[in-house]
């Protein structure tokens, strides 16, 4: 344990250091870049889910066809 338990310095976390552009109000470019990156990530996740669903659907169809043909024979 720390020697001084009443020292609460740093309990609230660290502050983000602002660049000169951020300090001058031109930090919106960083926010826009983050938004673009988030949009790309969401699009990638959507595509991956669609591929996974399509793959499970194609693997499920042959087994359903096999089960349907078995009782007829």
């Amino acid at each position: 344990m720390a020697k001084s338990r009443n020292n609460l310095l740093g309990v609230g976390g660290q502050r983000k250091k602002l660049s000169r552009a951020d300090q001058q109000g031109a930090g919106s470019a960083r926010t826009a870049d983050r938004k673009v990156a988030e949009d790309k990530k969401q699009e990638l996740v959507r595509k991956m889910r669609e591929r996974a669903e399509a793959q499970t659907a194609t693997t499920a169809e042959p087994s359903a066809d096999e089960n349907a043909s078995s009782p007829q024979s």
Side-chain angles (χ1 to χ4, degrees):
M1 239 190 236
K3 289 186 178 180
S4 66
R5 296 176 69 181
N6 295 329
N7 184 5
L8 297 177
L9 181 67
V11 169
Q14 294 180 348
R15 294 181 186 220
K16 180 172 103 39
K17 293 184 179 179
L18 298 175
S19 66
R20 287 188 181 189
D22 289 336
Q23 290 174 358
Q24 295 173 357
S28 62
R30 181 178 184 192
T31 306
D33 290 342
R34 285 186 176 182
K35 179 150 180 59
V36 169
E38 183 66 26
D39 291 342
K40 286 181 181 180
K41 181 180 177 183
Q42 291 296 328
E43 182 67 19
L44 180 63
V45 169
R46 184 186 63 79
K47 286 180 181 179
M48 290 176 67
R49 284 186 181 153
E50 287 178 358
R51 287 180 185 164
E53 289 173 2
Q55 189 176 17
T56 56
T58 56
T59 56
E61 287 176 7
S63 62
D65 292 339
E66 291 172 5
N67 292 337
S69 63
S70 296
Q72 291 175 354
S73 15

